[in-house]
């Protein structure tokens, strides 16, 4: 039976869908940069801090803070000055990375809704970040999906005095088959007028945090852009598939070589070899479906984003002009910078789609190879 939320926002209606104060191996991490000045020659870096030091023996740098929650709740999004028409949201970005909870049993992974923070902290985050209630449905379904929903702030909504329009995106990424365990979810909200992006990443790994930090360090002009979070999501979804597909292909080649040598020397056939081949074939099929699904939903998500935000179409006649970063002294700097970032992000999406096509081709070759080997070892 399908379940759809009646309320737009996660808080306070769906707080009971989460487990709280669950242990986690990795720390909570926050990346933020508020009120960026893209006209300045000396841009401030994206700031980063964590709830606890890295594990002993880890080579990760220590971004821990003794008063993590105090520093987090002192960020501008939690201390917005003014009331009524004078209330104004800051611009910029804040991403809250919530790590995967430690599983109760070794062979049973924890749920993405198991949170390593208290309920009152989560309620504050869900409220201030204006997270979409679709997150609960997406987590329940446990499929790879993206939903994009625009919402104009109404009387009674958080920040309704700003008369802003929110672009809310919910993402879940699940890896089926034996490649599972790398699931994550993202709930993000972009304030159109304020150019503010707020997001929570569930099931975040240190690798994902580092990847996002590196991407932001090299794309400062994209902070505050409506497509930023979808672009980061696409990067994480692609990264989540590359290693499993490469590992699967290596296993496929290894098994083919070993079985051919075995058949040549001993001509032995049997159930053991057939089961090994079938296992790899099954994983290849799962990964093929995962790569196709990822590409499909990213294409649809990008289409909705570009339609809602009025972003560019890649067939525009002035692509060459958009591809050049404007000079800071230009009178139309802000407008031209947005068009430039539009172009760069959309072009990066095309690169990601091409890489997903390669992954799909690799998985299909592996499926065909294993089908051929299955026939050989079974006949």
């Amino acid at each position: 039976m399908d379940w759809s939320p009646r309320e737009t926002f996660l808080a306070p209606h769906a707080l009971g869908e989460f487990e709280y104060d669950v242990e986690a191996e990795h720390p909570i991490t926050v990346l933020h940069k508020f009120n960026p000045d893209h006209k300045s020659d000396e841009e401030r870096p994206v700031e980063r801090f964590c709830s606890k030091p890295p594990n002993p023996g880890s080579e990760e740098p220590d971004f821990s803070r003794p008063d993590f929650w105090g520093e987090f709740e002192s960020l501008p999004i939690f201390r917005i000055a003014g009331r009524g028409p004078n209330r104004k949201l800051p611009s910029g970005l804040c991403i809250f990375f919530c790590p995967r909870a430690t599983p109760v049993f070794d062979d049973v992974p924890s749920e993405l809704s198991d949170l390593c923070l208290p309920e009152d902290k989560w309620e504050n985050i869900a409220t201030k970040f204006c997270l979409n209630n679709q997150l609960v449905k997406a987590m329940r379904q446990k499929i790879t999906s993206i939903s994009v929903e625009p919402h104009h702030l109404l009387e009674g909504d958080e920040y309704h005095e700003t008369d802003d329009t929110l672009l809310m995106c919910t993402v879940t990424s699940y890896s089926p088959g034996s490649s599972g365990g790398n699931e994550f979810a993202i709930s993000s909200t972009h304030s159109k007028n304020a150019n503010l992006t707020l997001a929570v990443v569930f099931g975040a790994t240190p690798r994902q945090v580092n990847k996002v930090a590196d991407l932001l360090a090299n794309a400062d002009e994209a902070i505050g852009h409506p497509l930023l979070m979808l672009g980061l999501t696409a990067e994480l979804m692609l990264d989540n598939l590359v290693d499993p597909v490469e590992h699967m292909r290596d296993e496929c080649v290894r098994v083919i070589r070993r079985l051919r040598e075995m058949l040549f020397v001993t001509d032995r056939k049997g159930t053991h070899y057939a089961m090994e081949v079938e296992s790899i074939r099954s994983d290849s099929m799962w990964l093929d479906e995962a790569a196709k699904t990822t590409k499909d939903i990213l294409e649809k998500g990008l289409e909705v984003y570009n339609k809602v935000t009025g972003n560019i179409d890649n067939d525009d006649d002035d692509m060459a002009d958009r591809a050049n970063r404007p000079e800071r002294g230009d009178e139309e700097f802000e407008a031209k910078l947005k068009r430039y970032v539009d172009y760069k992000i959309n072009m990066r999406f095309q690169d990601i789609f091409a890489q997903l096509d390669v992954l799909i081709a690799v998985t299909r070759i592996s499926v065909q190879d294993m089908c051929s080997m299955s026939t050989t070892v079974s006949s």
Side-chain angles (χ1 to χ4, degrees):
M1 181 176 180
D2 190 23
W3 179 88
S4 296
R6 296 181 179 180
E7 305 292 342
T8 300
F9 297 105
L10 181 68
H13 312 286
L15 297 177
E17 301 292 334
F18 297 85
E19 296 292 332
Y20 300 98
D21 294 311
V22 181
E23 291 293 326
E25 178 184 357
H26 302 294
I28 298 171
T29 304
V30 175
L31 297 177
H32 71 91
K33 182 175 182 176
F34 289 98
N35 300 313
D37 182 8
H38 297 307
K39 293 182 180 180
S40 172
D41 291 328
E42 297 181 0
E43 275 285 358
R44 293 177 288 109
V46 174
E47 296 187 46
R48 173 176 178 174
F49 60 94
C50 301
S51 60
K52 61 181 181 180
N55 294 328
S58 172
E59 297 182 358
E60 292 286 326
D62 188 357
F63 293 100
S64 62
R65 297 289 191 273
D67 184 16
F68 171 81
W69 289 111
E71 183 168 343
F72 177 61
E73 292 177 338
S74 68
L75 294 177
I77 190 62
F78 295 102
R79 302 186 180 279
I80 300 173
R83 287 293 183 267
N86 295 324
R87 201 177 195 198
K88 185 179 179 181
L89 288 169
S91 61
L93 166 77
C94 184
I95 306 177
F96 185 93
F97 293 89
C98 187
R100 192 72 175 263
T102 303
V104 178
F105 303 102
D106 292 339
D107 57 344
V108 180
S110 59
E111 299 290 338
L112 293 177
S113 55
D114 295 343
L115 307 181
C116 56
L117 63 154
E119 183 174 359
D120 61 327
K121 300 298 185 184
W122 175 236
E123 181 176 8
N124 197 21
I125 294 169
T127 300
K128 295 300 183 181
F129 281 38
C130 296
L131 301 183
N132 196 334
N133 207 6
Q134 288 287 345
L135 175 65
V136 174
K137 177 182 178 180
M139 285 182 170
R140 286 182 176 181
Q141 290 179 326
K142 294 188 177 182
I143 59 174
T144 299
S145 65
I146 291 179
S147 68
V148 180
E149 179 182 339
H151 174 78
H152 186 78
L153 289 172
L154 306 173
E155 185 73 27
D157 291 345
E158 188 76 14
Y159 315 125
H160 71 89
E161 304 96 331
T162 63
D163 194 35
D164 209 334
T165 297
L166 305 180
L167 192 58
M168 298 184 290
C169 181
T170 304
V171 179
T172 49
S173 177
Y174 284 85
S175 301
S178 63
S179 62
N182 296 322
E183 300 88 356
F184 67 91
I186 297 175
S187 183
S188 66
T189 301
H190 179 80
S191 173
K192 189 174 181 180
N193 294 345
N195 295 323
L196 171 67
T197 301
L198 304 168
V200 177
V201 181
F202 303 84
T205 63
R207 170 172 170 162
Q208 289 174 328
V209 174
N210 291 335
K211 185 170 185 64
V212 171
D214 291 342
L215 289 168
L216 291 174
N218 294 297
D220 185 80
E221 65 273 3
I223 293 177
H225 192 280
L227 270 174
L228 172 63
M229 206 60 218
L230 186 64
L232 294 175
T233 298
E235 298 282 1
L236 293 180
M237 296 181 87
L238 174 64
D239 191 60
N240 221 25
L241 287 168
V242 170
D243 284 352
V245 170
E246 290 181 350
H247 175 73
M248 176 273 303
R249 186 57 194 168
D250 290 342
E251 283 294 293
C252 180
V253 172
R254 181 187 63 81
V255 168
I256 289 173
R257 288 175 177 172
R258 185 165 61 84
L259 290 181
R260 283 178 176 171
E261 291 174 0
M262 184 72 70
L263 290 171
F264 178 78
V265 174
T266 66
D267 196 31
R268 293 175 59 188
K269 303 176 184 179
T271 304
H272 171 74
Y273 304 115
M275 290 178 63
E276 187 173 11
V277 168
E278 177 57 27
S279 175
I280 297 177
R281 187 184 74 88
S282 178
D283 283 352
S284 300
M285 292 178 66
W286 279 119
L287 287 169
D288 176 58
E289 186 62 31
K292 287 190 298 182
T293 300
T294 298
K295 183 185 177 185
D296 288 344
I297 65 172
L298 284 174
E299 287 179 332
K300 292 176 182 177
L302 180 62
E303 181 181 352
V304 173
Y305 257 84
N306 282 329
K307 182 178 180 180
V308 172
T309 61
N311 282 334
I312 61 170
D313 182 87
N314 290 332
D315 294 328
D316 278 359
D317 295 333
D318 56 346
M319 278 293 106
D321 180 61
R322 296 178 187 268
N324 298 317
R325 194 186 195 285
E327 298 294 332
R328 287 187 169 87
D330 196 310
E331 294 181 358
E332 300 180 2
F333 176 80
E334 293 292 345
K336 288 184 177 180
L337 181 64
K338 182 181 183 302
R339 291 197 298 270
Y340 167 76
V341 176
D342 287 345
Y343 171 83
K344 297 292 286 186
I345 292 180
N346 276 275
M347 289 299 99
R348 176 55 186 157
F349 265 103
Q350 300 311 310
D351 291 340
I352 290 174
F353 294 152
Q355 291 181 62
L356 287 170
D357 283 335
V358 172
L359 296 182
I360 292 169
V362 170
T363 58
R364 290 181 178 176
I365 291 172
S366 296
V367 170
Q368 293 172 0
D369 287 345
M370 290 298 97
C371 286
S372 176
M373 287 305 299
S374 179
T375 302
T376 300
V377 299
S378 301
S379 58

